Amino acid sequence: MPRGIGKLTSLETLSEFVVDKDGSHGGADLSELRLLNNLRGQLQIRNLGFVKNAKEKFKAANLKEKQHLRSLNLYWNADNDDDDDEKSLEDLQPHPNLKELWIRGWRGDAKFPSWLSLLTNLVKINIRDGNFKHNPSFAQLPCLKHLHIDNCTELQYMDDNSPKGSQGEAQSFFPSLKLLRLWDCPNMRSWWRTKKSIDDESNEDDTTVMGTATTVFPCLSSLEIENFPLTSMPLYPSLDGELELKNTNSRPLKQTIKMNITSRTPSSSTSSLPLSKLKSFIVNSIEGLDTHTLDECLQHLTGLKTLEIRDCKEVDLEGMQWERLKNLSGLRIDNIPKLVSLPIGLRHLVQLKTLGIRNCSALRSPFPVFQHLTFLEYFSISNCKELELSAAGIQIFQDHTSLRFLGLENIPKCWHLPEWLQHLTNLQELYLIDLPNLTSLPDEMRCLTNLQILEIGGIPELEERCRKDIGADWHKIAHIPNIQLYQ
C-alpha cells in the first residue's frame, strides 16, 4: 500500500490493505489505518504475518473505531510460521457493528480473542487454516447465520460446555444459524469438551442421548461435514436445504433420525419426521454406514430432490426401499463395490431427471427399470468395467423416452452401441469416451434426428471412421451439427 494513505481521513472504500513483506518497498504500515474511521463495506488486511512490532501496530490500526465496516478479513501469509505471542488477535479488536469476520492462516497462539463475544451483530464467521485448539462458544451470538470452520488441524472441540439439556437452553443455542460448514479438522471428535474419549465401537445405544434433553440446532437449514470425525454433536432434525456428509462418522446421523422432532419444535406437524424437509443429501465414505442405516434414513427423506451416494463399501442398494423418494429428481451413485445391478426399486423414482453412475466395479447390467423413468433427461455411466450395456435382448429404453444427454465412458465391454439407441429420438448430446472395443457406429445413429453434439474421445479406430466426408461411418452422423473428435 502507498505510504501516506492514512491522510485520506474521509476515505470510505478500501477493499484491500496489503502489508509489505520486509518494508523495503516503502509501503504503508498498519498504523496508517488509525484515522480511517469512515471506511465502509469490506476491508481485507493481507500478509499480517509480516508485521513488525505487531502488538504496537495491531493496536495502532484502531479497528475498534471503524463503526461503518461490515466485513473484516484478517489474512496471514501462507508461508507464515511465526508463533510470536506478540502477534495476538486480541489487539485486532473490531467494532461491535461488524457483520462478517474472516480469519485465515493464523498460526500464532492457540487462543481465540476475548472480544468475539462482544460482536453480537455478527452474521457470518469464517475461520480457515488456523492454529486454534478450541473455539469460544459461538452458540450465544444472536444474529449468526453462517459459520464455516476449515482446515484447523489442531482443533479439538467447539464448545467448552457440555449440553445442559434444558428447554430454555435449546432455544438459545445458535438461535439464527442457517448454514454450518465443518471441513478438514481431523482431531475434532466431539463438539463439546469431554474428559473421556468417545469409542465408536462401544456398546452405548445411540438412543441413550435422545429425548427432550438433546441439544439441537433450532434453525439450521444446510449442514456440510467433510473430513471431520465427529461422533458427538448437536443434532439437526429440521434441515430443509442440503446435508453433505463426507469422511465422517455416522453416529450423529443415526441419532438425528431416531429423535422425536415434535419434542423440540412444537409448531411442527405431529407426523413430521426428522430430515423430512431436506432437499439435497450427499453421503460419501461414512464410517459405520451400512445398507440398513441408509435405508432407515431414506424413509424420512420424503421431500428429497437430489441424492448422491459415494464410496460406501458396506452399502449394496439392493435391499433398500425407494418408494418414499417419489420427489427425487437427481441421483448419483459412485464407487459402490457391492452393486451388481440397479435395484428394481428405482422404478418408483418416477420424477427422476438425472442419473449418474461411476466407478461401480461389480455392476454387470442395469436392471430394466428405465422404462418407468419416463422423465429421465440426463444419463451418464463411467468406469464400470464389467458392464454390458449392449447385451442381446436388453432394452433399457423404450419408446417415448425424454433422454437428452447420454454419456458412456471407460466401459471395456461395450463392443457396439446397444439397439435401444434408436429409441432416443429426443437425444441432443452423446459422449463416447474411452470405449476401447467400440470400432464402429450402428445405422441407428441416423434415427437420432435431434442430436446436436457428438463427442468421441480416446477411441482411435472409431475416430478415423468418423472423419468428415471420408470416414466409413460419416454418412451415419453427417446430420449432426457439432461433431468433436479427440485422440
Side-chain angles (χ1 to χ4, degrees):
M1 301 302 298
R3 184 172 294 178
I5 195 172
K7 297 178 181 179
L8 305 177
T9 55
S10 297
L11 190 65
E12 294 186 358
T13 301
L14 179 62
S15 58
E16 186 172 75
F17 187 101
V18 182
V19 175
D20 193 355
K21 182 174 182 178
D22 53 15
S24 61
H25 297 90
D29 62 34
L30 282 180
S31 62
E32 296 216 38
L33 289 174
R34 184 172 65 90
L35 297 178
L36 302 185
N37 294 332
N38 288 304
L39 291 178
R40 301 172 185 274
Q42 175 178 293
L43 171 62
Q44 295 186 20
I45 305 179
R46 294 185 175 272
N47 295 342
L48 280 166
F50 294 145
V51 175
K52 306 300 182 184
N53 302 317
K55 189 174 184 64
E56 173 189 344
K57 298 298 183 183
F58 284 4
K59 287 184 176 180
N62 197 26
L63 295 180
K64 64 181 179 180
E65 296 299 328
K66 294 169 177 41
Q67 60 179 318
H68 304 297
L69 276 183
R70 291 298 175 260
S71 177
L72 177 63
N73 301 341
L74 302 175
Y75 288 178
W76 273 256
N77 32 303
D79 57 350
N80 174 43
D81 294 322
D82 192 353
D83 58 358
D84 183 358
D85 283 344
E86 286 192 359
K87 289 187 173 69
S88 174
L89 285 168
E90 199 68 43
D91 299 316
L92 289 169
Q93 180 177 348
H95 192 277
N97 286 347
L98 199 69
K99 297 287 188 180
E100 298 182 8
L101 175 65
W102 299 60
I103 299 176
R104 179 172 179 177
W106 172 243
R107 310 302 296 176
D109 63 69
K111 299 176 182 178
F112 213 89
S114 61
W115 44 255
L116 186 95
S117 61
L118 304 177
L119 304 183
T120 55
N121 291 297
L122 276 178
V123 174
K124 179 182 292 186
I125 297 177
N126 188 309
I127 300 173
R128 182 174 178 182
D129 306 326
N131 202 38
F132 307 104
K133 291 185 178 179
H134 64 88
N135 292 321
S137 178
F138 300 118
Q140 305 305 317
L141 294 175
C143 300
L144 187 64
K145 293 183 178 181
H146 294 206
L147 176 59
H148 186 179
I149 309 293
D150 183 5
N151 195 32
C152 295
T153 56
E154 302 298 319
L155 188 65
Q156 297 176 2
Y157 59 92
M158 290 285 290
D159 200 324
D160 194 46
N161 300 315
S162 298
K164 303 297 189 302
S166 67
Q167 184 72 19
E169 180 178 336
Q171 296 301 318
S172 62
F173 183 82
F174 285 99
S176 301
L177 193 66
K178 295 289 187 181
L179 172 62
L180 175 60
R181 291 189 177 118
L182 304 174
W183 295 350
D184 299 312
C185 296
N187 288 312
M188 183 170 152
R189 299 179 63 82
S190 174
W191 185 277
W192 299 280
R193 185 177 187 178
T194 178
K195 294 182 179 180
K196 65 176 183 177
S197 62
I198 299 175
D199 184 4
D200 295 339
E201 304 300 325
S202 69
N203 294 324
E204 178 186 2
D205 191 322
D206 286 331
T207 62
T208 56
V209 296
M210 295 299 98
T212 58
T214 303
T215 304
V216 302
F217 292 107
C219 297
L220 197 64
S221 177
S222 295
L223 171 64
E224 299 176 20
I225 304 178
E226 297 186 13
N227 304 319
F228 220 106
L230 275 172
T231 59
S232 175
M233 67 173 292
L235 305 186
Y236 40 86
S238 300
L239 291 183
D240 58 7
E242 178 180 271
L243 173 59
E244 180 173 356
L245 303 176
K246 178 180 179 181
N247 203 16
T248 187
N249 194 278
S250 62
R251 182 186 292 257
L253 175 63
K254 293 176 182 178
Q255 292 177 341
T256 297
I257 294 171
K258 291 180 179 180
M259 73 178 299
N260 179 4
I261 190 172
T262 58
S263 67
R264 308 308 303 167
T265 54
S267 61
S268 300
S269 167
T270 56
S271 62
S272 181
L273 294 172
L275 303 180
S276 62
K277 297 179 180 179
L278 192 68
K279 296 298 186 295
S280 174
F281 183 34
I282 301 173
V283 54
N284 188 338
S285 187
I286 306 301
E287 182 181 355
L289 185 69
D290 55 18
T291 300
H292 173 74
T293 302
L294 181 58
D295 186 46
E296 184 180 20
C297 180
L298 293 184
Q299 301 314 301
H300 291 221
L301 307 184
T302 54
L304 203 64
K305 295 293 186 181
T306 61
L307 171 64
E308 297 186 23
I309 304 174
R310 299 179 176 179
D311 295 315
C312 294
K313 296 177 174 54
E314 301 303 319
V315 173
D316 61 17
L317 303 184
E318 183 59 45
M320 295 169 52
Q321 306 298 314
W322 297 86
E323 291 85 344
R324 288 181 172 265
L325 300 184
K326 292 182 179 180
N327 294 315
L328 200 69
S329 60
L331 173 62
R332 295 189 181 275
I333 301 170
D334 189 349
N335 193 18
I336 308 296
K338 292 186 176 183
L339 185 66
V340 177
S341 64
L342 294 185
I344 193 171
L346 293 185
R347 70 180 187 274
H348 297 291
L349 307 182
V350 293
Q351 301 296 324
L352 198 67
K353 291 185 177 181
T354 298
L355 175 60
I357 303 172
R358 289 177 53 86
N359 304 315
C360 293
S361 56
L363 184 64
R364 295 185 178 277
S365 63
F367 202 88
V369 297
F370 288 85
Q371 57 186 307
H372 301 278
L373 307 181
T374 55
F375 286 92
L376 194 66
E377 297 180 358
Y378 178 106
F379 178 44
S380 173
I381 189 161
S382 62
N383 300 331
C384 297
K385 297 185 177 181
E386 296 299 320
L387 182 65
E388 296 186 30
L389 275 179
S390 52
I394 293 182
Q395 292 288 329
I396 71 172
F397 286 105
Q398 306 293 336
D399 292 328
H400 311 301
T401 177
S402 300
L403 201 70
R404 287 169 169 76
F405 179 104
L406 175 62
L408 307 177
E409 180 178 357
N410 192 15
I411 305 176
K413 292 190 176 183
C414 181
W415 306 97
H416 54 83
L417 292 183
E419 294 180 2
W420 45 258
L421 190 73
Q422 61 186 307
H423 298 299
L424 308 183
T425 53
N426 290 312
L427 196 67
Q428 297 177 3
E429 298 182 44
L430 175 61
Y431 294 81
L432 307 173
I433 311 296
D434 294 329
L435 307 176
N437 293 306
L438 183 63
T439 57
S440 66
L441 295 178
D443 289 333
E444 286 81 3
M445 290 293 297
R446 286 184 287 190
C447 298
L448 308 182
T449 55
N450 287 307
L451 195 61
Q452 300 296 308
I453 298 175
L454 171 63
E455 182 174 315
I456 301 174
I459 319 175
E461 184 175 348
L462 182 59
E463 293 169 39
E464 189 64 30
R465 291 178 62 91
C466 293
R467 295 291 178 190
K468 185 176 182 180
D469 297 328
I470 61 174
D473 286 343
W474 172 250
H475 67 285
K476 304 173 186 178
I477 61 174
H479 64 286
I480 302 173
N482 191 343
I483 299 174
Q484 302 173 21
L485 306 178
Y486 298 109
Q487 291 292 340

